[in-house]
Amino acid sequence: MTKNAQLAPLAIVGMSCRVPGGDDVDEFWETLLAGRPAMGPVPAERLVGYDAEVAGEGGLTAALVSDVDTFDAGFFDVVGRMAVWMDPQQRLLLETTWRALESAGIAPSSLRGQEVGVFVGSSTSDFRDGMISTGVLDRYSLTGSIAAYLSNRVSNFFDLRGPSITVDTACSSGLSALALAASGLRAGDFDTAIVGGSNVYASGWLTGALAHMGALSPTGTCRPFSDDANGYVRGEGVLCFVVKRLDDALEAGDPVLAIIRGAAANHDGRAGGLVKTDSGSQARLLRRTLAQGDVDPASLGYLEAHAPGTKLDVEELNGLRELVREHAAGPVRFAGPGERLWIGTVKAVIGHLEGAAGTASLAKAVLVLGNGAIPTGAGILGMDGDLEIHDQPAEVAQGSVPWEPGDAPRRLGVSSFGIGGSNAHVVLEEPPAADSPDGSWGGTSMVFPISGTDDDALRRVAARLAEFVAGPTAPEPTATAWTLQTGRDHLTARAVVRASTNEELRAGLVLIAEGVDAPEETDPRVREWLGGGEIDWSKLWHHPPRRRVRLPGYPFLRTPYGIAPKTRKVAR
């Protein structure tokens, strides 16, 4: 295969996140639209090992997840002592993986024993650094702290037999993990990949080191592409995606969120230096990634830039100009609103997630395509056809720039550049229009099954789903029923609602959430399922729907386990 050969497209079919201002992707989108930076003071417990006299200015402001120390240990069969000694990144990766599979309408148990690849991008070891600085130790310290277990813990719990790799290319780790997954999928090494990115601010050593070298903003402000940019602001979060080959996803009826036309990584070599980026290497990477999908740069309408808020941000714009000039001798008509190429960065809102930065950018890009809008609240650039760049064009409305579907598919790029010179880029395209569920139920009212680990959890599931189906984005009832029947693991506590409309479904769910007993089920097959048995749901349909849809994720019971163990005693 030549380096410019077009490669088969891939599909993102599931996505979940825990980021500042976003417990799920819907909350994340609202945070992006609001555009208010989610930065604030760093609590003292996050600064163990930080020496202000050595570090100097910077690092005392960050974008943090409010309940990053919590975990539903019982759901994942983790005993309390082990949970205390688990890196919070491991805990959150388990939860976000479960929710990403739910987002894809894939029952986690359906993947057991299969060759599913797990690729997690992460570049920090705050949890282990904190233990080293305080001298704490436990029998669970090893499995709870080394980087390999960020991916290996996911593969172990879900019983996945494909490659399980933790990727560290510094700030480009998340997209580098996606590039590795894309290569494996295209080679046929596995049929499904779970791609994650994680970063949790759990100690002060790295903050001090970054501040001492001048990487962090001493004023605690992130100003991407600005003349007065003075360093980045740290952020934390965990994100997860489910990726398949596009043809397989469409055949399986998966909810395709975005198409991956290209995903690639490279390195600056000696062109950039140990801690500086290089515009020529970036142009080379973008050229290679676009070639994978036979994509013209002018067909892009948006770039989710790396741009952490340093003086080097301008190099990213220079690399983009270099790429476009190779393809056009004169003015370019870009495919974004107003024939511009719009440029933004998630870091202006949630900070720089370091090893998870690329996955945060990827999630924003998928949401841009899904919502038909480009957030502008935290600042946005517009590149005209002559490659001149305008900072926050005057005609831009506060909130977002509408970017509705047109005759040609909407496309965008996502960049992520590591401090050590490793770069990664992804080109996304909007998914094809979804077919109608086209399902035909075999009775008078459809069965909507829900479940939880116990009765309290069951009520939480019912309440969460009731709120969703009452909203404007609720799918057709047939698709919801089919997804609940075949796209979820069915847990111990079970209930069903019989309904024909979303209004009837919501009413039944509200009763379950309030603890009201449902009417006795008359179908013996459904009664068997309620008692813990299995059922072939397709037998209840005349014609099952052709696709599944995204529904709310499981409402975990979040118990605080701390950021890091606080005792100095060596436990045995």
Side-chain angles (χ1 to χ4, degrees):
M1 179 182 293
T2 65
K3 64 180 180 179
N4 291 324
Q6 185 174 347
L7 301 180
L10 307 175
I12 297 175
V13 299
M15 179 172 74
S16 67
C17 70
R18 290 280 301 283
V19 295
D23 185 63
D24 56 31
V25 294
D26 295 324
E27 288 187 4
F28 184 27
W29 178 246
E30 293 301 320
T31 296
L32 293 171
L33 287 180
R36 292 185 295 272
M39 292 83 167
V42 179
E45 67 171 352
R46 307 287 195 106
L47 292 168
V48 174
Y50 179 88
D51 188 331
E53 292 186 5
V54 175
E57 295 182 293
L60 299 182
T61 298
L64 304 176
V65 176
S66 60
D67 56 352
V68 75
D69 64 326
T70 63
F71 180 49
D72 195 338
F75 186 92
F76 292 98
D77 299 324
V78 175
V79 297
R81 177 174 170 183
M82 179 182 284
V84 169
W85 292 88
M86 282 173 67
D87 188 331
Q89 295 181 99
Q90 291 187 25
R91 305 172 193 159
L92 297 184
L93 280 165
L94 288 172
E95 291 188 1
T96 53
T97 299
W98 185 278
R99 279 195 167 181
L101 290 170
E102 286 184 317
S103 169
I106 297 174
S109 62
S110 69
L111 299 179
R112 288 177 188 158
Q114 294 190 22
E115 297 283 327
V116 176
V118 177
F119 302 84
V120 174
S122 182
S123 63
T124 57
S125 56
D126 278 17
F127 184 76
R128 183 169 57 177
D129 294 342
M131 286 198 294
I132 291 172
S133 65
T134 56
V136 298
L137 200 63
D138 187 80
R139 67 172 64 177
Y140 293 123
S141 295
L142 183 70
T143 58
S145 64
I146 65 174
Y149 276 90
L150 296 177
S151 53
N152 294 172
R153 178 84 70 170
V154 171
S155 297
N156 174 265
F157 176 78
F158 291 94
D159 193 17
L160 308 177
R161 308 299 176 87
S164 185
I165 302 173
T166 301
V167 179
D168 181 2
T169 58
C171 316
S172 60
S173 299
L175 287 196
S176 295
L178 178 61
L180 286 175
S183 295
L185 285 165
R186 285 167 168 157
D189 295 339
F190 40 84
D191 297 328
T192 303
I194 292 169
V195 178
S198 65
N199 194 56
V200 173
Y201 193 150
S203 88
W205 180 87
L206 180 59
T207 295
L210 289 167
H212 191 56
M213 74 177 293
L216 302 182
S217 167
T219 59
T221 55
C222 179
R223 301 187 180 96
F225 299 120
S226 174
D227 291 338
D228 59 356
N230 61 1
Y232 78 82
V233 177
R234 293 194 72 189
E236 68 181 3
V238 177
L239 303 97
C240 186
F241 304 83
V242 182
V243 185
K244 300 174 72 172
R245 291 180 289 272
L246 177 60
D247 288 346
D248 292 347
L250 294 175
E251 182 179 356
D254 297 326
V256 178
L257 305 179
I259 297 172
I260 299 174
R261 304 296 300 186
N266 76 353
H267 193 274
D268 296 337
R270 301 187 69 176
L274 277 177
V275 295
K276 293 183 179 181
T277 190
D278 172 61
S279 60
S281 298
Q282 293 171 21
R284 178 167 52 91
L285 173 65
L286 268 62
R287 186 185 314 121
R288 176 183 165 200
T289 311
L290 291 162
Q292 289 185 0
D294 193 23
V295 173
D296 188 313
S299 72
L300 301 178
Y302 177 69
L303 173 69
E304 175 60 23
H306 178 70
T310 72
K311 297 295 185 183
L312 296 175
D313 289 356
V314 67
E315 292 300 312
E316 190 166 357
L317 301 179
N318 291 336
L320 184 60
R321 288 191 180 100
E322 180 179 333
L323 169 77
V324 176
R325 286 183 180 127
E326 292 177 356
H327 288 260
V332 179
R333 295 177 60 185
F334 289 108
E339 296 185 353
R340 283 187 171 129
L341 176 65
W342 298 85
I343 304 168
T345 173
V346 72
K347 297 175 183 64
V349 177
I350 64 169
H352 185 7
L353 270 61
E354 295 157 344
T359 52
S361 296
L362 182 64
K364 178 185 173 183
V366 173
L367 290 169
V368 164
L369 291 175
N371 289 281
I374 302 170
T376 64
I380 191 168
L381 305 180
M383 177 181 280
D384 287 332
D386 59 3
L387 306 190
E388 289 298 316
I389 294 177
H390 303 273
D391 183 9
Q392 189 78 25
E395 67 271 25
V396 171
Q398 187 71 16
S400 65
V401 176
W403 190 19
E404 299 295 338
D407 295 334
R410 293 169 298 159
R411 292 171 176 161
L412 52 77
V414 183
S415 290
S416 194
F417 308 131
I419 190 174
S422 290
N423 312 306
H425 188 75
V426 175
V427 175
L428 297 185
E429 181 177 292
E430 67 179 316
D435 295 332
S436 169
D438 194 29
S440 175
W441 182 250
T444 56
S445 58
M446 290 174 284
V447 174
F448 296 82
I450 61 171
S451 67
T453 54
D454 54 33
D455 289 340
D456 286 340
L458 181 66
R459 287 190 286 271
R460 295 199 307 274
V461 170
R464 187 179 178 92
L465 185 57
E467 181 180 4
F468 176 76
V469 299
T473 61
E476 298 177 24
T478 51
T480 299
W482 182 243
T483 302
L484 291 173
Q485 291 169 4
T486 64
R488 292 287 189 271
D489 271 359
H490 300 142
L491 306 175
T492 304
R494 301 180 177 187
V496 298
V497 175
R498 281 192 173 269
S500 300
T501 66
N502 280 334
E503 291 76 14
E504 293 176 357
L505 172 58
R506 178 187 176 279
L509 290 168
V510 168
L511 291 177
I512 295 173
E514 293 174 348
V516 178
D517 292 335
E520 184 175 352
E521 178 57 46
T522 58
D523 189 318
R525 296 167 297 182
V526 179
R527 285 204 307 270
E528 182 177 354
W529 178 83
L530 286 168
E534 299 295 328
I535 185 174
D536 183 352
W537 292 100
S538 65
K539 299 295 185 183
L540 278 64
W541 295 79
H542 288 313
H543 302 289
R546 292 195 298 267
R547 64 182 178 91
R548 299 178 307 283
V549 292
R550 185 178 74 87
L551 299 174
Y554 190 82
F556 295 111
L557 181 64
R558 289 174 174 154
T559 301
Y561 285 94
I563 294 295
K566 294 180 171 58
T567 177
R568 284 180 171 273
K569 182 179 180 181
V570 177
R572 298 188 182 278

